[in-house]
Amino acid sequence: MTASDKRFLISAPGKVILFGEHAVVHKKLAVAASLGLRTYLDVAENTSGQCHLKLPDVQVDTTWSLSELDIAVERELLEQQHPSDMPDKLKQQLETLMGETTSVAQKQAVMAFLYLFILLKNNNKGDNFGLTIRARSTLPVGAGLGSSASFSTALATALLMVFGHLPESFATSEEKDNAWLEIINRYAFKAEQVIHGNPSGVDNAVATFGGALSFRRGEGFSQLEGCQSLRLLLTNTKVPRSTSALVAGVGAKKTKYPAVVDPMLDAIDGISLQCVQVFKQLQAGEMDTHQVTSELEELVDMNHCLLHGLGVSHPSLETVRSVTEAHGVKTKLTGAGGGGCAVSIIRDDISEETLDAVTKELQSHGYDCYQTSLGGVGASASILSNVQDEAWIESADRHTLEKLIAHP
């Protein structure tokens, strides 16, 4: 395969907080899992001598000559520093390359790309090397589903592969070497730092490793053993909310009513711990998938009720709960609450007809619904054939793209 026809489809999943929202701020355990909804990057090497970046979700369509991007940097220093501490000269050079932007999201995405490109590029590609990266996402942006971490992880994977820091076999191996994933996660976190300043690292870890992770503030994260893919209905109420205001509200309740709120936070901690135990029992053969789903439904119900008691639900989220409950489907808010998204566990015995009826009723309220999965693969790459061109990538439906990821 020559440089002129080498093309990859790189992708990484979004994430959902399954259990432990708000309690995690107070050093309680939380559980996050990957989604079937993903960011996809169509990566094509060519001989144009140019770099073309196209990110439709944030209206970016920019081309640079490769000579413009040939900036000398002290890589070891950049590796050790937070991106915000980059030398002033480099920051000015990157801002000049970025040019005019019309939104914060544009600026963050382009700066993350330029920073990783400068950090990872090498001189092994020759004078005629060119690169085109086009993004397509099935994740809603700004919905608390880890869309920026999904992009950061896919971007890190793409540039690591392009510049030979990851082997091409990453795209053909069904089992991903953990050492490869650790490298991807490191650079995905760098991109997240460019975008968010001081992210927790959880979102990019879920996007990189997939499956589910448990995490406690100040203690890092652990992969959940035994996590298997589960069906999920994700509902975006599209009601805007302020995460900081909601977090502050819970903190104020904790200060005013410690004897009431502390046990509620402890109960949420217990729910997360029980989730970890459930998946361990599944792995050990002590529970089957049906039993796991049934127990997760109970945990979902209890967790939402506790969050409601903490004051972070919203009438739109209660509407989602009411609609799904009428059809025997358990739902909880996910993320900050106060609007945003809700997550529903779909048992195997829930028919497609029932699911369609639930979806139509929720859509009648103006909500967006996504039938997807929980706990799937993390960062992934596939080698594209000649027929899988730009037009094919843009027109392929979500399920076609997901099958390509499942069977590289």
Side-chain angles (χ1 to χ4, degrees):
M1 183 177 284
T2 66
S4 61
D5 64 9
K6 187 182 290 186
R7 290 180 63 241
F8 298 96
L9 185 67
I10 312 290
S11 77
K15 73 90 179 61
V16 65
I17 301 294
L18 194 54
F19 299 112
E21 298 93 337
H22 288 282
V24 72
V25 175
H26 303 281
K27 297 189 176 181
K28 308 302 181 183
L29 193 71
V31 176
S34 61
L35 287 169
L37 305 175
R38 305 174 72 89
T39 296
Y40 297 88
L41 297 182
D42 175 8
V43 181
E45 296 185 33
N46 53 56
T47 57
S48 67
Q50 294 184 322
C51 178
H52 180 201
L53 181 67
K54 186 175 182 180
L55 310 174
D57 284 347
V58 290
Q59 292 79 52
V60 169
D61 193 346
T62 305
T63 300
W64 301 273
S65 68
L66 265 295
S67 60
E68 288 181 279
L69 300 179
D70 189 18
I71 298 174
V73 295
E74 293 185 48
R75 285 194 177 83
E76 289 187 10
L77 182 62
L78 290 182
E79 291 275 5
Q80 296 167 8
Q81 287 181 328
H82 189 287
S84 64
D85 296 325
M86 75 176 83
D88 289 340
K89 181 181 177 181
L90 176 58
K91 185 176 181 181
Q92 291 169 3
Q93 288 174 304
L94 296 185
E95 288 179 344
T96 299
L97 286 169
M98 181 170 57
E100 292 294 325
T101 55
T102 58
S103 69
V104 172
Q106 272 189 1
K107 181 176 181 178
Q108 291 172 335
V110 176
M111 185 59 81
F113 168 78
L114 290 171
Y115 186 85
L116 283 191
F117 189 97
I118 298 302
L119 187 60
L120 295 172
K121 73 177 178 65
N122 53 40
N123 298 318
N124 300 334
K125 290 293 184 179
D127 296 336
N128 293 326
F129 169 69
L131 178 66
T132 297
I133 296 180
R134 303 180 184 91
R136 179 181 169 190
S137 180
T138 57
L139 273 166
V141 176
L145 300 175
S147 58
S148 75
S150 174
F151 168 71
S152 295
T153 302
L155 182 62
T157 305
L159 293 175
L160 285 163
M161 289 189 68
V162 165
F163 292 116
H165 304 291
L166 280 180
E168 193 169 301
S169 57
F170 181 81
T172 57
S173 304
E174 290 193 20
E175 292 294 325
K176 306 302 183 190
D177 189 315
N178 205 61
W180 296 343
L181 297 176
E182 292 285 359
I183 293 170
I184 292 169
N185 192 47
R186 183 164 77 245
Y187 290 101
F189 184 59
K190 282 281 189 187
E192 280 286 88
Q193 287 179 313
V194 172
I195 294 170
H196 293 297
N198 291 296
S200 68
V202 171
D203 285 12
N204 54 273
V206 172
T208 300
F209 295 99
L213 303 175
S214 62
F215 58 100
R216 193 184 300 272
R217 190 176 178 185
E219 296 181 13
F221 61 85
S222 301
Q223 282 198 274
L224 254 66
E225 300 173 4
C227 176
Q228 292 187 5
S229 183
L230 299 170
R231 286 203 302 164
L232 201 70
L233 178 66
L234 193 67
T235 304
N236 184 4
T237 68
K238 298 185 284 188
V239 173
R241 73 276 187 232
S242 168
T243 298
S244 58
L246 289 158
V247 169
V250 173
K253 277 189 172 65
K254 184 177 186 297
T255 301
K256 187 174 183 180
Y257 306 112
V260 177
V261 174
D262 284 344
M264 295 172 74
L265 297 175
D266 287 338
I268 294 174
D269 187 61
I271 288 170
S272 296
L273 287 166
Q274 184 61 27
C275 174
V276 172
Q277 186 61 30
V278 164
F279 282 120
K280 284 182 178 179
Q281 288 180 287
L282 176 64
Q283 185 181 42
E286 297 169 7
M287 296 180 74
D288 59 30
T289 304
H290 175 76
Q291 290 171 314
V292 167
T293 306
S294 178
E295 191 151 331
L296 288 178
E297 283 185 314
E298 293 182 357
L299 297 177
V300 159
D301 217 22
M302 289 187 286
N303 198 170
H304 180 87
C305 290
L306 287 163
L307 290 167
H308 187 279
L310 291 173
V312 297
S313 188
H314 185 271
S316 63
L317 293 166
E318 297 308 313
T319 296
V320 178
R321 288 252 304 164
S322 176
V323 169
T324 57
E325 181 70 31
H327 294 273
V329 175
K330 299 295 185 182
T331 297
K332 67 178 283 292
L333 68 84
T334 181
C341 291
V343 60
S344 306
I345 301 291
I346 306 301
R347 301 188 311 274
D348 288 340
D349 63 347
I350 298 291
S351 68
E352 287 300 322
E353 290 78 12
T354 298
L355 200 51
D356 287 343
V358 170
T359 299
K360 286 179 181 177
E361 189 170 349
L362 291 171
Q363 288 172 336
S364 73
H365 289 276
Y367 308 149
D368 289 340
C369 296
Y370 304 86
Q371 294 183 34
T372 184
S373 59
L374 179 81
V377 298
S380 185
S382 302
I383 298 174
L384 293 171
S385 68
N386 290 334
V387 298
Q388 293 166 323
D389 57 11
E390 180 183 358
W392 183 88
I393 295 293
E394 290 181 353
S395 63
D397 62 27
R398 177 163 65 91
H399 299 294
T400 299
L401 293 174
E402 288 174 7
K403 285 179 183 177
L404 190 61
I405 295 304
H407 304 286

